[in-house]
Amino acid sequence: MVSRVRVWLNRTYAENVFFMDQLRRNPSDRAVEIHATHGDPDSPVLAAADTAELEPDALSPAAYVEYALTQCRRRGIDVFVPRLHQSAIVAHRADFEAAGTALLAPPPEAVAVFEDKVVAYQAVESIGVPVPPWWRVRDADELVTAVEELERLGHRACFKPAAGAGGVGFRMITREPFSLAQLKGFPSPEVPLDLVLESLRRAEEPVDWLVMPRLEQPEVSVDCLTGSDNRVRLAIGRTKHGRRRGFTQHERWLEPTRRIAEGFGLHHLSNIQFRMLGDRPVLMDVNTRPAGGLHQLSLCGVNAPWAAVRLALGDDPGEISPPFLGQDYTVVSAPRPLLPVTMPRQRTEPPTLRGSLDALPAPATPVEPRTASGALQ
């Protein structure tokens, strides 16, 4: 009898409830149990898991590694998919292996290259992958220089943190003064240059931004599975143009993806993103973790999470080609269950002045570890 596989996802994105669903519906018909931890008791991944715990707050990276090793030993984790403190965790791969846990994450050298976007751009440029023009900016004067040079080249300037995930901190520079027009409708990522400069000059410490041209659509996000032999097993591009999404296997996207994944040893699941600069694709970002939208490859008949778990366990799935490319689609939100919460204790009698402090509701009881098996199936 084949034993079940125990997989842990730590403080991951809410969208990875679909990652978990795909693991359970794997084509090998292998039993999978999922452990999830998070700092937010209302994260849907806690309700989607078979067992769940709240993570302790404010642990240092080193302390978090010890916490993670304890979780793996106590829970009998076979495969750990780390997101939080990924770089610290992969530096201790041997310790996790000694605990019987395989890490579904790249080696520390690969993670280090792509933690800093400036280091990443320099590295991929050195192997011939095109990147947009960029400036590293730490103060107001450097920002002015970068913006003026981009505008001279006919580009619109934008900036984002040199280290960060997703679109956090992304802003587009405008020369238009702030006005009521910017207070109408939905909030915009546009910020007037004069307000940014004023903020920088008032700041007590430098920023660390990457300034570059605003890149155009389509955005192509290539989901990639790479073995420890540095050979890509799976690469499928997901296209995005406004609301419309689709898939591509065009070599203009896949060739630079393979060059990056194989050249830097991006083992296991990674996500490599491109956009257009004029009429040519350039690298936008590299994520050394599974993308939140990875589950969308199921529209191409591919179960990428399960292929990755197999690879992590030493069961090489071989080269995977999608049997077909799914039709264009869009993404809509849907309800997902949450774990129940314990309500604060309520007083039944009116408070008195003398007892006014006692009248305050007691703090909510933290969510205890509990089983939520099958809650979302």
Side-chain angles (χ1 to χ4, degrees):
M1 181 177 177
V2 180
S3 62
R4 62 97 170 98
V5 179
R6 186 83 164 135
V7 180
W8 173 27
L9 287 83
N10 76 329
R11 207 172 293 207
T12 191
Y13 302 110
E15 200 171 10
N16 273 335
V17 293
F18 303 114
F19 185 105
M20 299 157 78
D21 290 345
Q22 284 190 286
L23 288 181
R24 292 193 180 101
R25 296 195 300 264
N26 67 80
S28 304
D29 201 26
R30 183 90 176 263
V32 176
E33 292 182 7
I34 299 172
H35 181 55
T37 58
H38 208 284
D40 179 3
D42 289 335
S43 170
V45 299
L46 297 180
D50 297 292
T51 58
E53 290 185 23
L54 287 176
E55 292 189 357
D57 288 329
L59 290 182
S60 69
Y64 193 91
V65 170
E66 290 303 314
Y67 161 79
L69 283 165
T70 300
Q71 286 281 316
C72 289
R73 296 187 188 106
R74 183 162 64 90
R75 295 285 184 176
I77 301 299
D78 298 300
V79 178
F80 177 21
V81 188
R83 190 199 67 82
L84 183 67
H85 294 311
Q86 186 192 62
S87 60
I89 288 165
V90 297
H92 291 266
R93 187 180 299 270
D95 296 328
F96 285 93
E97 289 176 348
T101 300
L103 295 181
L104 204 157
E109 298 82 9
V111 173
V113 168
F114 296 104
E115 276 187 311
D116 185 305
K117 291 179 174 59
V118 169
V119 174
Y121 275 15
Q122 291 171 330
V124 299
E125 215 172 6
S126 72
I127 63 169
V129 175
V131 301
W134 54 270
W135 285 258
R136 190 167 207 157
V137 162
R138 292 185 172 88
D139 59 34
D141 292 339
E142 290 181 353
L143 179 61
V144 169
T145 299
V147 170
E148 288 180 346
E149 182 61 17
L150 281 168
E151 290 177 344
R152 186 187 68 79
L153 296 171
H155 300 302
R156 185 174 185 186
C158 63
F159 65 88
K160 57 186 175 181
V168 175
F170 172 80
R171 298 292 187 272
M172 292 186 293
I173 295 288
T174 176
R175 294 279 189 170
E176 296 295 323
F178 189 81
S179 69
L180 284 177
Q182 289 166 286
L183 300 179
K184 296 178 180 178
F186 293 103
S188 166
E190 293 187 351
V191 288
L193 178 60
D194 58 342
L195 294 186
V196 179
L197 294 174
E198 182 183 347
S199 299
L200 285 173
R201 288 168 178 141
R202 288 203 315 264
E204 297 180 357
E205 55 187 35
V207 296
D208 189 7
W209 290 344
L210 188 70
V211 179
M212 55 192 287
R214 169 64 172 165
L215 302 175
E216 301 303 322
Q217 296 187 26
E219 178 179 320
V220 178
S221 182
V222 184
D223 295 307
C224 196
L225 177 63
T226 307
S228 57
D229 58 359
N230 293 345
R231 183 167 57 85
V232 169
R233 305 300 198 273
L234 167 71
I236 303 176
R238 289 182 285 114
T239 64
K240 180 180 178 181
H241 199 299
R243 180 172 287 181
R244 180 171 292 272
R245 313 289 178 94
F247 302 100
T248 180
Q249 289 280 269
H250 199 290
E251 281 298 309
R252 75 187 309 199
W253 316 107
L254 300 194
E255 190 277 331
T257 293
R258 284 191 290 266
R259 199 183 306 179
I260 293 169
E262 295 177 348
F264 294 100
L266 284 175
H267 303 166
H268 304 291
L269 288 169
S270 60
N271 178 258
I272 301 174
Q273 301 170 0
F274 303 88
R275 271 194 175 230
M276 302 299 293
L277 181 65
D279 59 356
R280 66 174 183 144
V282 294
L283 180 73
M284 185 169 69
D285 209 352
V286 175
N287 295 309
T288 60
R289 53 165 176 78
L294 179 69
H295 63 94
Q296 294 163 15
L297 298 189
S298 63
L299 297 176
C300 299
V302 172
N303 188 327
W306 179 244
V309 166
R310 285 182 59 191
L311 189 60
L313 292 173
D315 178 19
D316 195 332
E319 187 171 340
I320 301 171
S321 296
F324 53 86
L325 294 183
Q327 71 179 67
D328 286 1
Y329 64 102
T330 190
V331 176
V332 295
S333 61
R336 299 286 296 204
L338 296 178
L339 290 177
V341 295
T342 302
M343 295 298 292
R345 176 175 57 85
Q346 304 291 324
R347 284 187 65 98
T348 56
E349 69 276 9
T352 62
L353 179 61
R354 185 177 60 83
S356 58
L357 294 179
D358 295 333
L360 294 174
T365 304
V367 175
E368 295 294 336
R370 58 171 287 141
T371 298
S373 181
L376 299 179
Q377 295 182 13

